[in-house]
Amino acid sequence: MKTFRFIFFLTITIALGVSLNTRIAGVPPLGKFLSPFHGFWQNAEEPGINYEETLDMEGLTAPVTVYYDEMRIPHIYAENETDLHRVQGYLTARDRLWQMDFFSRLVFGRLSEVLGERTLNFDRFNRRIGLKKMTEDLLVTIQSDPDLLPVLNAYSDGVNAYIDQLTYAQYPLEFKLLNYKPEAWSPLKSCLAYAMLSNTLSRGESDLENTNALALFGRDMFNMLYPDQLGNLDPVIPKGKKWSFDPLKVIKPTLEYPLTKTKKTIDKPHPLNGSNNFAVSASKSKNGHVMLANEPDLELTLPSIWYAYHLHADDKNVMGVTVPGTPVILIGFNDSISWGVTNSPRDQVDWYSIQFRDENRNEYLYNNQWFKTDKQLEVFKIAGDATYTDTIVYVHHGPVVYDRNFFPENGKTNYAMKWIAHYPSTTINAMYEINKARNYEDFTKAMMKFQGPPQNFMFGSAKGDIAVWLPGKFPVKWREQGKLLMDGSNSAYEWKSYIPFEHSLFAKNPERGFLSSANQHPVDTLYPYYIYDHNYEYYRGRRINDRLRILNDMLPKDMMKLQNDNFNYMASESLPMMLDYLDTGSFDTQGWNYYKTLSEWDYFNEPSLKAPSVYQLWWDILYVQIWDEVDTVSIAIDRPNKYVTIDLLKRDSSLVFADILSTDRKETTRDLINLTYQKAIDSLDVRMSENDEDLSWYTFKNTTVRHLLRLDPFSVDQVRVGGYASIVNAASKGHGPSWRMVVEMDPAGTKAWGVYPGSQTGNPGSPLYGHMISRWATGEYYPLLFGPDVKNSDQVIFTQTIQPQ
């Protein structure tokens, strides 16, 4: 215990030094912060259980019992749903209050109030793209739902019951460090997950970058570098499915795109945000039960983006994870069904060039007429600085994000954003119904309400069904509509209709006995609607399907093993070609040693191997060098993706892009691969000599689970985990499996296992802070306590009773 306290207090001292050196606004008065009676000392927790056995809570109608397991998951048993979610809100606030506040400030563009001027543009951006407005609109929709609204109200009451009894000494550490206090919670804030996850998962696009590339390269080269689809892919919906409907007609108009060049574009969601999920039918299971697995690959943070619950009351008995602040389980299972979600890449954002009548921006041109704009004044309070006011102009397409006040380096351009997430949505209503669904029919009805940005929903049931659905709101588009910047004054560029729900992508109980998704192309060309995204994944889905085709008599441990699979499909398709191009006759001892390491590699990115480090650095240098033409232009252009790049290198030994701009000679593909190989091994030798590195893969990539404030003392680096981007175990430097879940739908009782890289508590002063990271890294799962006899299970380590005050 003394050792833990010493480490905690030393960590706080370092964190305070870091915060002072990085000029975080609102640093507390040191006397108050260092007070042994009220300051950070009070955040150090004793080992073991620190909860009170009995609590009184105002507003409860009956006692609520909470059972805690080894993961510290609360299993909340209440007599009614209102009491259930009131206690849920209280317990979430107890463990994650500061994180909830941080997420709400992020969504509403209010981080500058506590972090100062450095986050002002980030706040402005989040309001410009509509995160605040879509959250407000979502609550308006929920207010007409007589079942869901009371859930949000009860949850908020529970959060506020916790906040109201706090003293400064009990504030979470980050409130003390940043010198501010918690605010009251509200049902509006409980809607934050929709905007936050929509922003993370569906806002990615390359319309302006594509427009720049088309203007620069011309049509033929553009089509080669940025194709809609390439190669023999393995889509989410099994290939060859026949669609028994007549599609809505769409005719591409004859028009010219406005090839306006854009110097700088907005920040996009991280390209490594993704996920995978898969389900196998009883025919492939040794126990004769459906099994389902899910892992959302997101930013790895402390506290974790997920919080786990088991919720039991009335007709609800559901377990899984949700975003702190949101009462509805987003990924999970109940007695009858299980479900998991992955991002479903579909182009959800279109940009329109807007022409204002004059500098006042009161009117804009559309269909040869002048229409009035709507202006929204946004006020930003800034810690330690003057208040800032911004004006956002709205046209019927959406908010004008690019204008003279935001990205003025683009000159007089005005671009309006049209995003499916801006439209009214009943997505949270859908998730609420899924929590209670009893069969495939209930689940399908819930899918009809999932009208926002799309997800790939994997489904499994105790009755033996497996299915995948790709619900959402999708405009009917002609080919390339939305792939490039469009003329906002021309009605021909408008969305005219939406794909009916009856025409949605889905598959149920396929003959092959399994379904999967991993952010790849959703369907083959037999589907009659145009589908496009700039960032499909080309490797993870194929690896999962390759394994599931040959696996039989599967057990839950086989599902776990596949989730932790480290096979590098991309390396297997690119490295043999790269090695074949090498001029081995010119190698010295150093060159031969690295060549031997690579040629003997089995393509598994295991933590202790050196070959993955050598390959990855070589590939990174090669990839940057081959697209040096793209990097040197003064306008925003994306490099062609890795899959396209490898295909071009394989097909064309005299590829024009192999030429290095900084040299006088004209390099071929062979020249480029040999030059970059030498650069890679020289760089590796420097790293080893200067940093004393052994080039082990886990050391080289340095997977880090970072605190939300980027405070190193509250983060965990050098996590000993394999995998990488484009690998099923997608653990890269800062992104990866944020929750792993495997469920076996045994009709006698659902069985499940799970783990995530963090802990239920968000308190850095707890001995349990981040305690699951090591088990997550080695692929060890916790059995998830569920079933009819939780209270008598030997997995229960503490029981708490919360009773009416």
Side-chain angles (χ1 to χ4, degrees), residues 132 209 249 765:
K132 174 185 172 185
E209 291 83 355
K249 302 298 183 184

Side-chain angles (χ1 to χ4, degrees), residues 3 53 95 173 180 282 293 300 459 494 501 591 623 650 718 723 739 749-750:
T3 302
E53 287 189 12
D95 288 336
L173 179 63
Y180 76 108
L300 303 177
F459 169 88
E494 290 282 5
F501 178 78
Y623 182 63
K650 285 181 174 180
Q718 294 295 340
W739 162 248
T750 304

Side-chain angles (χ1 to χ4, degrees), residues 136-397:
E136 294 169 342
D137 292 344
L138 182 64
L139 180 61
V140 171
T141 302
I142 290 174
Q143 285 173 337
S144 63
D145 188 320
D147 296 321
L148 182 54
L149 182 60
V151 168
L152 266 60
N153 287 332
Y155 184 90
S156 296
D157 289 343
V159 175
N160 289 327
Y162 180 78
I163 293 173
D164 290 344
Q165 52 88 43
L166 286 179
T167 64
Y168 176 81
Q170 297 168 318
Y171 282 4
L173 179 63
E174 290 88 348
F175 284 110
K176 298 177 182 179
L177 188 62
L178 297 175
N179 193 30
Y180 76 108
K181 63 182 181 179
E183 291 182 340
W185 199 253
S186 67
L188 176 63
K189 291 181 179 179
S190 287
C191 296
L192 64 82
Y194 176 71
M196 194 170 75
L197 293 175
S198 294
N199 183 45
T200 299
L201 299 173
S202 80
R203 190 175 55 78
E205 45 75 30
S206 289
D207 300 20
L208 304 180
E209 291 83 355
N210 286 341
T211 303
N212 286 341
L214 179 59
L216 182 68
F217 296 126
R219 174 54 71 175
D220 290 343
M221 184 68 74
F222 175 80
N223 288 344
M224 181 180 75
L225 299 180
Y226 307 95
D228 285 354
Q229 184 170 315
L230 183 70
N232 184 22
L233 306 178
D234 205 342
V236 175
I237 304 301
K239 288 189 291 187
K241 177 171 180 175
K242 303 294 193 301
W243 302 94
S244 58
F245 58 78
D246 294 323
L248 300 183
K249 302 298 183 184
V250 58
I251 299 174
K252 182 175 182 178
T254 302
L255 44 75
E256 295 292 330
Y257 290 104
L259 297 183
T260 307
K261 294 180 181 178
T262 307
K263 289 185 177 180
K264 185 177 180 181
T265 57
I266 59 175
D267 290 337
K268 310 297 173 60
H270 200 287
L272 296 185
N273 289 334
S275 304
N276 67 67
N277 56 20
F278 45 95
V280 299
S281 65
S283 64
K284 292 186 75 70
S285 164
K286 186 171 184 178
N287 295 331
H289 306 143
V290 163
M291 292 188 291
L292 180 145
N294 187 202
E295 66 169 56
D297 298 322
L298 300 169
E299 186 177 5
L300 303 177
T301 63
L302 287 171
S304 168
I305 190 174
W306 303 113
Y307 188 90
Y309 291 106
H310 176 193
L311 305 175
H312 187 286
D314 295 333
D315 60 344
K316 176 182 286 186
N317 186 28
V318 62
M319 189 172 187
V321 293
T322 190
V323 174
T326 301
V328 179
I329 299 295
L330 301 180
I331 299 171
F333 54 91
N334 60 33
D335 301 295
S336 306
I337 74 162
S338 55
W339 75 94
V341 296
T342 71
N343 193 27
S344 182
R346 298 272 281 271
D347 186 16
Q348 295 282 291
V349 176
D350 288 348
W351 291 99
Y352 291 84
S353 178
I354 304 302
Q355 180 182 338
F356 292 117
R357 188 165 193 165
D358 53 39
E359 291 297 311
N360 295 322
R361 303 187 297 171
N362 293 326
E363 295 178 288
Y364 68 103
L365 184 63
Y366 178 71
N367 206 21
N368 297 316
Q369 300 179 62
W370 294 104
F371 287 81
K372 291 186 179 297
T373 61
D374 182 28
K375 294 181 180 178
Q376 179 70 44
L377 204 64
E378 298 287 353
V379 179
F380 300 85
K381 297 178 181 178
I382 307 171
D385 212 332
T387 298
Y388 184 89
T389 302
D390 194 11
T391 299
I392 303 177
V393 180
Y394 288 83
V395 297
H396 77 276
H397 305 289

